[in-house]
Amino acid sequence: MRILIGLGAALALWVGAAEAQDRRSSHCIALAEAPGITYLHKASFRDPVAEHAVRISYISHASFLIQSHDGIDVVTDYTGFLGATDFVPDVVTMNHAHSTHWTANPDPAIPHVLPGWGDYGLGIEHHLDLGSMLVRNVSTDIRSYGGIEEKGNSIFVFEVAGLCIGHLGHLHHEPNPAQYAALGRMDVVMAAVDGGMSLDVVTMMRVLRNLKAQVVIPMHWFESWTLEAFLTGMSDEYLIERNAGSSLTVSLRDLPKQPTIKVLMPRFLQDPE
């Protein structure tokens, strides 16, 4: 969709600080050796994160909370509502394929609001260096008004604790060779498995096999059959781990010998009583 002039100006102000920074090199693109990963479970989102680890909590739809050990909090595909909490993240990312992936009125207390789109057809570029975390994007195309809007969405990459974490967003096409190269190594990937509103299951499976992430977290599934079709299609190469919980903690230790799909249950944030 086209962005109103006023909204575009506001978004430009939100991202100006990120664009002004000197750039740190991406270790996800540069590193040749893949480190390992370890799971820890059942932590409240308000609890501290272990050193050298990252906590990922599935909030809803395509929204995840990604937290570093030193207190950086990022929410993906931010819609303006996180749950029964006054929690304010440091960074939010958004995509505009549908209104369930962005908001025109983000909380003004959020320091960094990163839209995955820019002026129509031109895309946008983010390279936000927060010290212990680097947030960057790779622009992708979206279906729009019966056609294609070039660079209308983004895949966001979060480089933290030595991990390369990718959120594929509302992906509408398989990345081309240049986009795959720009993504670099992926350790953890959040992938839409709705069966067609984003990518069809077969294409999404091919994308994930090309990315070779050791951990895949399904998202954006509306009916259980779309999730099950995805899990069945991937079960020949991936271990399937189901968990009634909504979060996991990952760290650089002992990569699984076999890539793993980790099924999390979405849950809005709620402050401990």
PDB file of all heavy atoms in Angstrom, residues 55 101 105 110 165 201 203 211 226 245 250 266:
ATOM      1  N   ARG A  55      16.636 -14.626  24.525  1.00  0.00           N
ATOM      2  CA  ARG A  55      15.313 -15.202  24.744  1.00  0.00           C
ATOM      3  C   ARG A  55      14.366 -14.737  23.633  1.00  0.00           C
ATOM      4  O   ARG A  55      14.316 -13.547  23.301  1.00  0.00           O
ATOM      5  CB  ARG A  55      14.749 -14.813  26.108  1.00  0.00           C
ATOM      6  CG  ARG A  55      13.400 -15.494  26.396  1.00  0.00           C
ATOM      7  CD  ARG A  55      13.021 -15.451  27.863  1.00  0.00           C
ATOM      8  NE  ARG A  55      12.915 -14.092  28.364  1.00  0.00           N
ATOM      9  CZ  ARG A  55      13.559 -13.660  29.459  1.00  0.00           C
ATOM     10  NH1 ARG A  55      14.344 -14.455  30.148  1.00  0.00           N
ATOM     11  NH2 ARG A  55      13.409 -12.406  29.855  1.00  0.00           N
ATOM     12  N   HIS A 101       0.454  -6.447  10.854  1.00  0.00           N
ATOM     13  CA  HIS A 101       1.911  -6.488  10.907  1.00  0.00           C
ATOM     14  C   HIS A 101       2.530  -5.111  11.157  1.00  0.00           C
ATOM     15  O   HIS A 101       3.746  -4.979  11.119  1.00  0.00           O
ATOM     16  CB  HIS A 101       2.474  -7.060   9.597  1.00  0.00           C
ATOM     17  CG  HIS A 101       2.073  -8.480   9.340  1.00  0.00           C
ATOM     18  ND1 HIS A 101       2.906  -9.551   9.588  1.00  0.00           N
ATOM     19  CD2 HIS A 101       0.920  -9.016   8.884  1.00  0.00           C
ATOM     20  CE1 HIS A 101       2.293 -10.680   9.275  1.00  0.00           C
ATOM     21  NE2 HIS A 101       1.082 -10.372   8.855  1.00  0.00           N
ATOM     22  N   ASN A 105       0.433   4.173  14.609  1.00  0.00           N
ATOM     23  CA  ASN A 105       0.536   4.932  15.859  1.00  0.00           C
ATOM     24  C   ASN A 105       1.355   4.176  16.900  1.00  0.00           C
ATOM     25  O   ASN A 105       0.836   3.791  17.956  1.00  0.00           O
ATOM     26  CB  ASN A 105      -0.868   5.231  16.399  1.00  0.00           C
ATOM     27  CG  ASN A 105      -1.704   6.023  15.417  1.00  0.00           C
ATOM     28  OD1 ASN A 105      -1.403   7.178  15.142  1.00  0.00           O
ATOM     29  ND2 ASN A 105      -2.744   5.399  14.892  1.00  0.00           N
ATOM     30  N   ILE A 110       8.848   4.430  22.385  1.00  0.00           N
ATOM     31  CA  ILE A 110       9.752   3.446  21.789  1.00  0.00           C
ATOM     32  C   ILE A 110      10.901   4.190  21.106  1.00  0.00           C
ATOM     33  O   ILE A 110      10.669   5.011  20.211  1.00  0.00           O
ATOM     34  CB  ILE A 110       9.010   2.569  20.769  1.00  0.00           C
ATOM     35  CG1 ILE A 110       7.894   1.783  21.455  1.00  0.00           C
ATOM     36  CG2 ILE A 110       9.978   1.607  20.065  1.00  0.00           C
ATOM     37  CD1 ILE A 110       6.965   1.056  20.498  1.00  0.00           C
ATOM     38  N   ILE A 165      19.704 -14.267  13.810  1.00  0.00           N
ATOM     39  CA  ILE A 165      18.282 -14.573  13.944  1.00  0.00           C
ATOM     40  C   ILE A 165      17.523 -13.831  12.855  1.00  0.00           C
ATOM     41  O   ILE A 165      17.607 -12.605  12.759  1.00  0.00           O
ATOM     42  CB  ILE A 165      17.766 -14.167  15.332  1.00  0.00           C
ATOM     43  CG1 ILE A 165      18.553 -14.902  16.421  1.00  0.00           C
ATOM     44  CG2 ILE A 165      16.271 -14.440  15.460  1.00  0.00           C
ATOM     45  CD1 ILE A 165      18.265 -14.410  17.828  1.00  0.00           C
ATOM     46  N   VAL A 201       3.415 -23.603   1.072  1.00  0.00           N
ATOM     47  CA  VAL A 201       4.229 -24.453   1.944  1.00  0.00           C
ATOM     48  C   VAL A 201       5.464 -24.975   1.222  1.00  0.00           C
ATOM     49  O   VAL A 201       6.569 -24.982   1.780  1.00  0.00           O
ATOM     50  CB  VAL A 201       3.381 -25.619   2.495  1.00  0.00           C
ATOM     51  CG1 VAL A 201       4.265 -26.610   3.252  1.00  0.00           C
ATOM     52  CG2 VAL A 201       2.291 -25.103   3.415  1.00  0.00           C
ATOM     53  N   THR A 203       7.182 -23.713  -1.300  1.00  0.00           N
ATOM     54  CA  THR A 203       8.196 -22.678  -1.491  1.00  0.00           C
ATOM     55  C   THR A 203       8.856 -22.306  -0.175  1.00  0.00           C
ATOM     56  O   THR A 203      10.075 -22.124  -0.098  1.00  0.00           O
ATOM     57  CB  THR A 203       7.587 -21.431  -2.144  1.00  0.00           C
ATOM     58  OG1 THR A 203       6.952 -21.805  -3.369  1.00  0.00           O
ATOM     59  CG2 THR A 203       8.661 -20.395  -2.448  1.00  0.00           C
ATOM     60  N   LEU A 211      18.271 -21.637   3.544  1.00  0.00           N
ATOM     61  CA  LEU A 211      18.840 -20.843   4.629  1.00  0.00           C
ATOM     62  C   LEU A 211      19.635 -21.700   5.613  1.00  0.00           C
ATOM     63  O   LEU A 211      20.555 -21.204   6.256  1.00  0.00           O
ATOM     64  CB  LEU A 211      17.734 -20.095   5.373  1.00  0.00           C
ATOM     65  CG  LEU A 211      17.061 -18.951   4.616  1.00  0.00           C
ATOM     66  CD1 LEU A 211      15.897 -18.391   5.428  1.00  0.00           C
ATOM     67  CD2 LEU A 211      18.059 -17.841   4.277  1.00  0.00           C
ATOM     68  N   THR A 226      -2.556 -26.102   8.438  1.00  0.00           N
ATOM     69  CA  THR A 226      -1.439 -25.489   7.715  1.00  0.00           C
ATOM     70  C   THR A 226      -0.130 -25.715   8.460  1.00  0.00           C
ATOM     71  O   THR A 226       0.906 -25.981   7.849  1.00  0.00           O
ATOM     72  CB  THR A 226      -1.677 -23.983   7.511  1.00  0.00           C
ATOM     73  OG1 THR A 226      -1.783 -23.326   8.782  1.00  0.00           O
ATOM     74  CG2 THR A 226      -2.934 -23.731   6.704  1.00  0.00           C
ATOM     75  N   GLY A 245       4.738 -24.102  25.845  1.00  0.00           N
ATOM     76  CA  GLY A 245       5.183 -22.774  26.224  1.00  0.00           C
ATOM     77  C   GLY A 245       5.306 -21.836  25.038  1.00  0.00           C
ATOM     78  O   GLY A 245       5.202 -22.237  23.874  1.00  0.00           O
ATOM     79  N   VAL A 250      18.086 -19.259  23.589  1.00  0.00           N
ATOM     80  CA  VAL A 250      19.106 -19.893  22.761  1.00  0.00           C
ATOM     81  C   VAL A 250      20.464 -19.285  23.081  1.00  0.00           C
ATOM     82  O   VAL A 250      20.567 -18.121  23.446  1.00  0.00           O
ATOM     83  CB  VAL A 250      18.793 -19.740  21.257  1.00  0.00           C
ATOM     84  CG1 VAL A 250      17.545 -20.496  20.904  1.00  0.00           C
ATOM     85  CG2 VAL A 250      18.653 -18.274  20.874  1.00  0.00           C
ATOM     86  N   PRO A 266       1.630 -19.085  20.732  1.00  0.00           N
ATOM     87  CA  PRO A 266       1.607 -17.632  20.944  1.00  0.00           C
ATOM     88  C   PRO A 266       0.892 -17.261  22.245  1.00  0.00           C
ATOM     89  O   PRO A 266      -0.098 -17.877  22.627  1.00  0.00           O
ATOM     90  CB  PRO A 266       0.850 -17.106  19.719  1.00  0.00           C
ATOM     91  CG  PRO A 266       0.052 -18.271  19.235  1.00  0.00           C
ATOM     92  CD  PRO A 266       0.849 -19.489  19.550  1.00  0.00           C
TER      93      PRO A 266
END
